[in-house]
């Protein structure tokens, strides 16, 4: 990823980029996106970021590349800048120094920390300039409605439905939360409404453990979100699960 | 894998899942156990193959016992006064769960210690019956129309104090909040109680008994709204709630549900926590990086130091410490620089800080020993023998092969013995004549002072005359002063700094009756300045001796003890008499200090100095107080405050001793400093005998009062 080190954002990408049939290209793109999102999430863990800022960073990245081309923009630089921007948006401010340190070590495992030389400053400049680029590409609309708070409220409601002991021995909350966080590896977050995504994660978690919920006129998930159908839920679940398959392919 | 969970899941999903699990997880012992013993029901229509595949693949993560976090210890529960998150009525209500089912699950789930709210339906002589309308305290169910009644027996009703029948307090239709005491699930009977002991521990603070409509839980109130208005959907309710727009509701709810956000695991194989190395985290890298950047600065600083550019060297060291506080190398290097320049106390503190972080640093230890011994020598000269001894002992403790320290210690201990003996003899000799002299002299001085005080009032505050004390004070207060000759330029600047008047609002406001004395003292303070300069002039021959003779007027600003001003003016009526006799005594003791005294002659305060020295040496620790760098102005203020206090020199001494003992090595330097505005004010106040001073001040106070009354 030498291109990430230089100050210029645009430039030919030598890494991948065979001009093959669209299908292969797009699947390569998908793999790249997956890898970069994995990079974002890993960096988020190392920077002690909360889930919502990490989600914002991934959402920024996905939204950016909905309209931009991987040929022109270096994805890892865009990723680093989205992390920085997301920290600002979600009020968990990060220092560029930390971002650069963690990312440098990601690409060069076991290396010494960087010295305060011109390379460092150039990298910092790149991040800041790319941040402005992202803002412009997204029309400065960088605040997202995330599924996280929906999911948490749904979890509370469902908790009240269940017997407290059943709840405490079944890790529904953790599974649903993990599913939601993992969903950011792919563009699911920008293709669906946050309520739907939250509901799908909860639905999958509930079904995984085979939890018995009292039935009524309507299903619990129909109450939580009026305008969703089972088919839609299944579609989102399928997308989520495909991400797990992709992990096997990419890493 | 958690076998129960696994079994539950398998039984829910049927044979498809089972077979998939067999492929993926056949090695797992837990699965084998379940496979052997579990039963599963037939296929359901809504089984999804993708889900089953998912479960099969991730079963080892999903069913891991460590996956489930233990819920955090519940804090005292209280009805949320602000809406931290959106409170929604129970889902049951929205779902229209049938009556029977709701009743069943209520009786299945309710437990002892839950809180319920209901309305009194009938009162009998053995208790009253309550028809429950909702649950409170965590469990949220829609039970209003379930016609669940609970009995509250009379013994569970707390008496109302007077000896009436406790039940008379209640009326039919009252809203009651009670705790569930007993449940008979089979007969569907509930016993409730109004005693807090029946509740779960985290409900301690909740009041049981009659409540008003306003205290009904929010989810119930919202539920009523939903029941009446069928267009209220869950979603609409959620989004219109104030709590939903609380930006920190995510964090709050995560805590509520027991999930730790930054460490919550993932289902992705690559993101499992065991793959993350501690060294890759931002904070760890930052620390290493700061240390390396700081080291570069330190190296540059050492170069400067070797070429003699001490100022640049100090800058580099400070820069290094800004980048990385408590960087060991930077501290050691800076300490060495301080020691070379003579600020031994600062050097010692830097070395100690370095040794705290890294106790095995060879250079730090070596330098610290040397500096301690040197400092001990300084203190010896200043007659602060006990402290010096402490320092030597410390040096030896650090490095017991350090011969110099041992030698110095031995010499010092011998000296201490001698001095103690001498002091005892002199004290015995001096007591008698002093006593008689002081009382007569005292009165005379006081009377004289009153007369002159009036005239002096107008001329007060002419500090320009006497800068000695100010200078000394300032020199004390700014620790950065180097005692070498080279620091003379400092002195001059300090002098200028001291020439501003006492802030009007401090002592002046405190003083009414002491005003005269204060001004007098202020005026006298000027006398001290020459002495201060004297002190500095002596820098070359005494490594710190000059500081000794500064008036130890460390203002115990905080303690506001009576402050004695050292005044150089021999004609100070008040205290000269008192001090006179004592001065003699001290002078006798200070034979060795003759040379120093002669310097002070010029200011006419030699005797003062003597007494001061005595005072100082005997209670050197006292000075250590405000040494840490009170600014001149603060010391001024402190001084003024002290002035207003008057008296209590004794108190001051005591306080100083206390402070001093706390200070230890660090304080030694500061002895005199603490910028006491002790501008020796009026006359030669002597701090020799605290009792005397106390008396004097009291008498002064009395006289002033009288004077005022006369006016």
């Amino acid at each position: 990823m030498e291109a990430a080190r230089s100050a210029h954002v645009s430039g030919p990408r030598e890494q991948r980029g065979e001009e093959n049939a669209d299908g292969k290209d797009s699947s390569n793109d998908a793999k790249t996106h997956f890898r970069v999102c994995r990079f974002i999430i890993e960096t988020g863990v190392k920077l002690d970021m909360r889930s919502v800022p990490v989600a914002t960073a991934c959402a920024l990245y996905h939204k950016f590349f909905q309209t931009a081309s991987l040929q022109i923009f270096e994805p890892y630089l865009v990723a680093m800048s989205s992390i920085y921007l997301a920290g600002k948006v979600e009020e968990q401010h990060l220092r560029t120094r930390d971002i650069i340190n963690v990312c440098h070590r990601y690409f060069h495992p076991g290396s010494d920390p960087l010295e305060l030389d011109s390379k460092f400053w150039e990298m910092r400049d790149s991040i800041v300039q790319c941040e402005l680029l992202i803002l412009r590409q997204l029309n400065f609309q960088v605040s997202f409605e995330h599924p996280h708070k929906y999911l948490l409220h749904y979890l509370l409601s469902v908790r009240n439905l269940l017997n407290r002991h059943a709840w405490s021995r079944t890790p529904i909350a953790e599974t649903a939360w993990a599913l939601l966080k993992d969903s950011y590896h792919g563009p699911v977050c920008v293709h669906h409404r946050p309520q739907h995504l939250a509901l799908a994660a909860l639905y999958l978690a509930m079904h995984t453990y085979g939890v018995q919920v009292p039935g009524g006129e309507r299903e619990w998930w129909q109450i939580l979100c009026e305008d969703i159908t089972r088919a839609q839920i299944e579609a989102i679940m399928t997308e989520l699960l495909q991400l797990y398959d992709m992990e096997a392919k990419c890493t | 894998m958690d076998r129960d969970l696994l079994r539950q899941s398998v039984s829910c999903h049927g044979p498809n899942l089972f077979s998939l699990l067999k492929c993926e997880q056949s090695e797992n012992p837990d699965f084998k156990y379940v496979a052997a013993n579990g039963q599963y029901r037939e296929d359901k229509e809504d089984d999804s193959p993708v889900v089953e595949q998912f479960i099969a693949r991730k079963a080892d993560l999903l069913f891991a016992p460590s996956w489930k976090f233990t819920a955090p210890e519940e804090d005292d529960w209280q009805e949320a006064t602000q809406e931290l998150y959106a409170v929604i009525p129970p889902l049951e209500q929205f779902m229209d769960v049938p009556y029977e089912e709701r009743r069943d699950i209520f009786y299945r789930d309710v437990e002892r210690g839950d809180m319920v709210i209901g309305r009194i339906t009938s009162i009998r002589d053995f208790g009253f019956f309550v028809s429950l309308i909702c649950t409170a305290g965590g469990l949220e169910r829609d039970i209003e129309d379930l016609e669940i009644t609970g009995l509250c027996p009379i013994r569970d009703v707390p008496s109302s104090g007077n000896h009436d029948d406790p039940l008379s307090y209640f009326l039919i239709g009252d809203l009651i909040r009670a705790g569930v005491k007993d449940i008979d699930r089979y007969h569907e009977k509930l016993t409730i109680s109004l005693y807090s002991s029946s509740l779960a521990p985290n409900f301690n603070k909740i009041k049981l008994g009659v409540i008003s409509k306003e205290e009904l839980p929010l989810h119930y109130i919202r539920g009523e709204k939903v029941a009446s208005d069928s267009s209220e959907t869950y979603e609409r309710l959620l989004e219109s709630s104030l709590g939903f727009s609380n930006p920190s509701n995510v964090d709050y709810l995560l805590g509520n549900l027991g999930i730790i956000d930054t460490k919550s695991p993932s289902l992705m194989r690559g993101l499992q926590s065991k793959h993350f190395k501690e060294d890759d985290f931002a904070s760890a890298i930052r620390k290493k990086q700061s240390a390396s950047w700081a080291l570069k600065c330190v190296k540059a600083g050492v170069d400067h130091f070797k070429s003699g550019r001490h100022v640049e060297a100090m800058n580099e060291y400070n820069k290094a410490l800004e980048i990385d506080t408590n960087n060991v190398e930077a501290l050691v290097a800076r300490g060495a620089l301080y020691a070379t320049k003579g600020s031994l106390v600062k050097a010692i503190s830097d070395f100690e800080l370095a040794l705290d972080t890294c106790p095995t640093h060879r250079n730090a230890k070596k330098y610290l020993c040397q500096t301690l011994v040197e400092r001990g020598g300084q203190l010896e000269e200043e007659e602060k023998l006990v402290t010096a001894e402490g320092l030597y002992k410390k040096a030896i403790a650090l490095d017991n092969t350090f011969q110099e320290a041992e030698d110095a210690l031995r010499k010092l201990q011998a000296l201490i013995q001698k001095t103690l003996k001498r002091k005892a003899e002199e004290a015995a000799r001096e007591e008698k004549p002093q006593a008689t002299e002081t009382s007569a002299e005292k009165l005379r001085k006081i009377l004289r002072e009153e007369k002159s005080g009036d005239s002096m009032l107008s001329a007060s505050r002419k500090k320009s005359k006497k800068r000695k004390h100010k200078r000394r004070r300032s020199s004390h207060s700014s620790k950065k002063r180097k005692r070498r000759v080279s620091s003379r330029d400092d002195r001059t600047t300090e002098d200028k700094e001291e020439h501003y008047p006492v802030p009007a609002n401090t002592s002046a406001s405190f003083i009414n009756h002491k005003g005269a004395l204060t001004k007098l003292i202020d005026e006298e303070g000027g006398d001290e300045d020459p002495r201060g300069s004297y002190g500095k002039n002596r820098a070359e021959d005494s490594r710190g001796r000059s500081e000794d003779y500064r008036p130890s007027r460390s203002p115990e600003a905080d303690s506001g003890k009576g402050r004695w001003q050292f005044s150089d003016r021999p004609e100070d009526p008040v205290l000269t008499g008192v001090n006179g006799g004592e001065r003699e005594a001290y002078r006798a003791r200070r034979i060795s200090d003759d040379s120093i005294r002669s310097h002070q002659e010029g200011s006419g305060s030699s005797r003062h100095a003597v007494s001061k020295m005595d005072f100082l040496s005997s209670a050197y620790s006292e000075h250590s107080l405000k040494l840490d760098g009170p600014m001149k102005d603060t010391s001024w203020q402190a001084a003024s405050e002290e002035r207003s206090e008057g008296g209590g020199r004794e108190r001051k001494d005591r306080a100083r001793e206390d402070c001093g003992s706390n200070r230890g090595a660090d304080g030694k330097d500061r002895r005199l400093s603490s910028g006491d505005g002790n501008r020796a004010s009026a006359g030669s106040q002597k701090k020799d005998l605290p009792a005397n001073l106390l008396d004097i001040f009291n008498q002064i106070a009395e006289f002033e009062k009288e004077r005022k009354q006369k006016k």
Side-chain angles (χ1 to χ4, degrees):
Chain A
M1 285 296 136
E2 293 316 308
R5 297 285 159 265
S6 62
H8 60 277
V9 172
S10 59
R13 307 253 353 268
E14 300 101 26
Q15 296 284 129
R16 349 157 278 87
E18 306 106 40
E19 263 74 25
N20 284 346
D22 272 352
K24 192 160 178 195
D25 219 15
S26 67
S27 76
N28 279 339
D29 281 357
K31 284 194 192 159
T32 309
H33 288 315
F34 184 90
R35 289 199 190 98
V36 179
C37 289
R38 168 59 62 91
F39 161 76
I40 294 179
I41 295 181
E42 257 193 65
T43 309
V45 172
K46 293 177 192 165
L47 288 167
D48 271 335
M49 281 170 86
R50 297 192 306 264
S51 302
V52 174
V54 174
T56 305
C58 292
L60 285 168
Y61 174 85
H62 286 300
K63 234 178 122 182
F64 181 86
F65 277 106
Q66 271 184 331
T67 47
S69 157
L70 270 176
Q71 306 296 95
I72 305 175
F73 298 107
E74 163 59 53
Y76 283 95
L77 180 59
V78 173
M80 283 163 76
S81 297
S82 2
I83 295 175
Y84 182 51
L85 181 55
K88 290 187 190 171
V89 170
E90 300 293 345
E91 301 294 335
Q92 187 179 14
H93 297 264
L94 303 162
R95 317 282 301 274
T96 41
R97 178 178 163 191
D98 289 325
I99 298 179
I100 292 175
N101 283 342
V102 171
C103 298
H104 177 80
R105 221 179 145 93
Y106 179 89
F107 292 113
H108 305 98
S111 61
D112 287 330
L114 287 173
E115 293 299 320
L116 197 57
D117 55 6
S118 63
K119 267 181 73 181
F120 185 88
W121 292 117
E122 271 176 26
M123 220 177 305
R124 194 174 178 280
D125 283 343
S126 312
I127 293 185
V128 173
Q129 283 169 28
C130 191
E131 183 195 9
L132 184 57
L133 181 70
I134 296 178
L135 281 170
R136 287 160 60 191
Q137 184 79 11
L138 298 180
N139 281 331
F140 289 84
Q141 285 164 350
V142 289
S143 69
F144 296 95
E145 181 91 340
H146 283 301
H148 297 76
K149 60 182 174 187
Y150 288 99
L151 177 60
L152 289 172
H153 283 92
Y154 295 165
L155 278 169
L156 273 191
S157 292
V158 168
R159 180 171 77 169
N160 285 323
L161 272 185
L162 300 175
N163 175 277
R164 74 195 81 191
H165 299 294
W167 175 265
S168 56
R169 67 167 178 261
T170 320
I172 297 177
E174 284 80 358
T175 307
W177 194 251
L179 282 167
L180 190 58
K181 283 171 61 167
D182 291 340
S183 73
Y184 280 93
H185 280 86
V188 198
C189 44
V190 288
H191 292 163
H192 297 277
R193 285 181 66 201
Q195 293 95 318
H196 295 183
L197 199 50
L199 191 59
L202 182 55
Y203 186 93
L204 183 51
M206 297 278 276
H207 271 251
T208 306
Y209 295 104
V211 181
Q212 297 296 337
V213 179
E217 289 284 314
R218 301 191 288 166
E219 293 288 334
W220 59 271
W221 48 268
Q222 279 174 316
I223 309 288
L224 293 178
C225 186
E226 296 280 324
D227 60 346
I228 200 167
T229 62
R230 192 189 280 273
Q232 272 178 305
I233 297 184
E234 303 250 326
I236 300 178
M237 282 204 307
T238 316
E239 275 192 61
L240 284 179
L241 300 174
Q242 274 170 358
L243 286 174
Y244 289 103
D245 292 338
M246 188 168 275
E247 185 189 12
K249 286 189 229 155
C250 286
T251 54
Chain B
M1 282 197 270
D2 190 321
R3 293 177 182 177
D4 295 325
L5 282 178
L6 188 55
R7 197 181 301 130
Q8 184 182 345
S9 178
V10 171
S11 58
C12 173
H13 287 269
N16 282 346
L17 176 59
F18 188 69
S19 51
L20 281 169
L21 276 171
K22 249 206 282 202
C23 309
E24 300 273 351
Q25 307 281 352
S26 50
E27 296 310 308
N28 195 297
D30 295 304
F31 172 69
K32 286 190 196 145
Y33 173 84
V34 170
N37 305 336
Q39 291 153 344
Y40 43 85
R41 31 168 226 209
E42 299 308 313
D43 288 332
K44 292 193 306 183
E45 329 75 56
D46 52 342
D47 270 356
S48 161
V50 189
V51 175
E52 286 161 6
Q53 179 80 299
F54 163 73
I55 299 173
R57 287 238 189 90
K58 303 282 183 186
D60 57 327
L61 289 172
L62 289 168
F63 299 107
S66 57
W67 188 247
K68 179 74 188 177
F69 298 123
T70 50
E73 271 308 307
E74 287 191 36
D75 303 321
D76 282 347
W77 186 93
Q78 41 198 304
E79 197 71 51
T81 44
Q82 311 147 314
E83 212 182 323
L84 292 170
Y85 61 94
V87 175
I88 310 287
L91 270 189
E92 289 177 324
Q93 196 171 350
F94 291 99
M95 284 161 63
D96 293 331
V97 181
Y99 177 95
E100 274 307 317
E101 198 170 344
R102 267 189 290 146
R103 214 180 152 85
D104 287 341
I105 57 177
F106 176 76
Y107 276 108
R108 178 195 73 184
D109 292 339
V110 74
E111 292 191 7
R112 279 207 196 109
D114 284 347
M115 258 200 308
V116 290
I117 295 179
R119 234 179 265 277
I120 298 185
T121 49
S122 66
I123 305 182
R124 307 281 181 79
D125 41 353
F126 55 85
F128 56 82
F129 284 97
V130 169
S131 160
L132 300 189
I133 58 171
C134 72
T135 55
L139 184 69
E140 290 175 18
R141 294 289 169 89
D142 176 27
I143 56 176
E144 183 163 18
D145 58 339
L146 292 181
E147 298 158 18
I148 298 175
T149 47
L151 167 65
C152 185
I154 192 166
R155 65 171 180 277
D156 282 313
V157 178
S159 62
S160 47
N162 48 21
H163 296 288
D164 291 348
D165 173 22
L167 289 177
S168 65
Y169 182 70
F170 300 100
L171 298 171
I172 294 188
D174 276 349
L175 278 174
I176 298 281
R177 176 160 52 203
V180 172
K181 196 173 125 180
D182 201 9
I183 310 151
D184 181 349
R185 294 182 211 269
Y186 187 66
H187 292 114
E188 294 191 348
K189 285 204 205 297
L190 217 56
T191 311
I192 60 179
S193 156
L194 291 181
Y195 277 110
S196 309
S197 54
S198 61
L199 288 176
N202 55 326
F203 293 143
N204 276 346
K205 304 232 178 80
I206 314 293
K207 171 183 80 95
L208 293 179
V210 182
I211 59 173
S212 62
K213 272 182 92 169
E214 286 78 35
E215 290 174 84
L216 287 173
L218 193 52
H219 65 89
Y220 175 73
I221 297 174
R222 295 235 167 105
E224 285 196 311
K225 220 175 16 151
V226 169
S228 57
D229 178 9
S230 59
S231 68
E232 276 290 341
T233 61
Y234 181 95
E235 218 174 315
R236 190 110 62 85
L237 207 52
L238 190 67
E239 284 169 6
S240 59
S241 306
L242 187 62
F244 194 65
S245 29
N246 175 10
S248 39
N249 59 7
V250 171
D251 296 324
Y252 178 78
L253 288 178
L254 281 173
N256 199 346
L257 287 165
I259 304 174
I260 306 169
D261 203 3
T262 47
K263 301 269 184 289
S264 62
S266 159
L267 286 171
M268 290 276 188
R269 299 270 166 204
L271 287 175
Q272 299 305 307
S273 50
K274 59 178 182 259
H275 295 306
F276 288 97
K277 288 200 276 269
E278 228 4 271
D279 286 339
D280 286 341
F281 280 67
S283 44
I285 305 180
R286 175 180 268 260
K287 260 196 232 155
K288 270 174 66 179
Q289 197 182 49
S290 298
S292 115
W293 290 0
L295 209 56
K296 272 169 80 176
C297 285
V298 171
K299 286 200 188 122
V302 169
D303 283 338
H304 285 306
F305 178 58
K306 292 203 178 128
S307 338
R309 297 186 291 272
H310 290 190
V311 178
E312 282 93 336
M314 182 61 77
N315 285 343
E316 290 290 335
Y317 295 150
N318 286 336
K319 209 164 68 166
L321 285 170
E322 260 179 46
I323 294 176
D324 180 18
T325 44
N326 292 356
N327 181 287
V328 180
E329 297 300 328
L331 283 172
V332 172
R334 195 171 73 162
L337 181 57
Y338 275 141
T340 320
K341 286 157 96 186
S343 318
L344 295 183
V345 183
K346 285 193 215 161
I348 291 175
S349 70
D350 271 350
F351 290 136
E352 286 182 343
L353 199 53
L355 281 176
D356 278 345
T357 322
C358 172
T360 57
H361 196 275
R362 211 168 32 95
N363 278 348
K365 266 196 194 170
K366 205 169 62 172
Y367 295 161
L368 182 56
C369 284
Q370 286 173 350
T371 318
L372 282 173
V373 173
E374 204 183 315
R375 180 81 190 124
Q378 269 184 16
L379 289 174
E380 259 194 73
E381 309 263 351
E382 298 170 12
E383 304 291 338
K384 299 219 177 352
L385 303 178
V386 184
T387 325
E389 191 182 351
L391 284 185
Y392 290 142
K393 288 201 180 134
K394 210 163 141 190
I396 292 177
L398 270 176
D399 175 14
N400 44 17
T401 61
F402 199 46
Q403 197 51 33
E404 259 184 63
E406 305 216 13
D407 295 339
L409 182 62
R410 258 180 272 130
K411 265 193 275 177
L412 176 62
Q413 280 171 338
L415 185 58
I416 290 180
Q417 299 291 346
K418 271 191 270 173
T419 328
L420 283 174
K421 268 192 236 158
R422 238 191 323 156
K423 276 192 200 167
E425 291 164 22
E426 287 176 358
R429 253 188 290 137
E430 296 302 331
E431 253 175 23
K432 267 207 216 150
Q434 274 172 357
T436 47
E437 196 185 286
T438 42
S439 38
E441 278 290 324
K442 243 193 288 180
L443 286 172
R444 254 181 276 140
K445 297 300 186 293
I446 287 168
L447 289 168
R448 250 183 280 154
E449 182 234 9
E450 282 196 347
K451 284 190 213 148
S452 51
D454 289 340
S455 53
M456 278 209 233
L457 272 168
S458 45
S460 63
R461 313 264 172 128
K462 288 189 190 139
K463 304 173 181 121
S464 45
K465 300 181 208 164
K466 300 149 204 226
R467 296 283 165 236
K468 272 185 286 181
H469 291 292
K470 278 195 215 131
R471 224 175 275 146
R472 247 173 265 163
R473 189 172 26 87
S474 55
S475 62
H476 288 296
S477 38
S478 62
K479 301 306 160 258
K480 309 206 181 1
R481 206 146 329 146
K482 298 158 194 181
R483 306 204 202 121
R484 300 286 159 83
V485 185
S486 54
S487 62
R488 250 185 239 198
D489 40 338
D490 288 350
R491 254 177 266 141
T492 45
T493 46
E494 279 147 21
D495 291 345
K496 296 189 191 100
E497 286 168 330
E498 294 182 71
H499 287 215
Y500 46 77
V502 176
N505 58 350
T506 51
S507 54
S509 50
F510 304 148
I511 313 164
N512 356 45
H513 55 279
K514 293 266 191 254
L517 180 59
T518 310
K519 285 182 193 151
L520 191 58
I521 291 172
D522 280 350
E523 211 180 345
E524 301 284 352
D527 285 340
E528 299 304 322
D529 295 341
R531 199 173 315 172
S533 50
Y534 143 76
K536 287 207 198 161
N537 292 329
R538 305 283 301 163
E540 64 274 15
D541 71 357
S542 66
R543 279 159 298 163
R545 209 186 280 192
S546 53
E547 302 211 27
D548 284 345
Y549 301 115
R550 304 218 180 107
S552 52
R553 303 181 221 122
S554 32
E556 274 117 354
D558 309 337
S559 49
K561 306 275 161 79
R563 193 192 39 190
W564 268 121
Q565 312 288 342
F566 282 110
S567 98
D568 291 342
R569 269 203 232 148
E571 63 268 19
D572 178 7
V574 183
L575 305 164
T576 340
V578 183
N579 296 336
E582 291 144 13
R583 260 182 255 149
E584 310 310 312
Y586 286 103
R587 195 178 302 167
R589 286 181 224 174
R590 295 283 151 248
I591 301 166
S592 54
D593 306 327
D594 267 344
S595 52
I596 296 163
R597 222 175 297 147
S598 55
H599 283 264
Q600 294 176 339
E601 219 67 49
S603 53
S605 52
S606 51
R607 282 176 291 173
H608 239 300
V610 180
S611 51
K612 282 185 212 141
M613 288 190 291
D614 258 356
F615 172 79
L616 295 178
S617 51
S618 56
Y620 69 87
S621 53
E622 300 170 358
H623 308 297
S624 51
L625 320 166
K626 318 297 177 134
L627 306 186
D628 271 339
M631 300 313 289
K632 280 192 287 268
D633 10 343
T634 54
S635 59
W636 256 122
Q637 287 184 344
S640 334
E641 282 170 55
E642 288 196 338
R643 259 179 247 159
S644 53
E645 308 283 45
R649 184 190 190 157
E650 179 182 291
R651 282 174 270 146
K652 183 163 78 145
D653 293 348
R654 304 265 164 74
R656 285 212 196 137
E657 281 168 357
D658 294 342
C659 302
S661 49
N662 294 344
R663 278 324 177 86
D666 290 349
K668 291 180 201 130
D669 237 8
R670 326 286 176 98
R671 276 173 282 169
L672 307 167
S673 43
S674 26
D676 355 340
N678 312 342
R679 296 191 287 163
S681 53
S684 41
Q685 299 165 3
K686 220 187 310 178
K687 308 197 186 162
D688 298 340
L689 297 179
N692 288 336
L693 291 171
L694 189 55
D695 290 343
I696 292 167
F697 266 124
N698 291 341
Q699 286 175 356
I700 294 170
E702 286 166 39
F703 275 113
E704 301 227 4
K705 274 188 215 153
E706 286 177 13
R707 201 197 329 155
K708 284 222 172 116
Q709 284 167 5
K710 282 181 217 163
K711 286 180 187 166

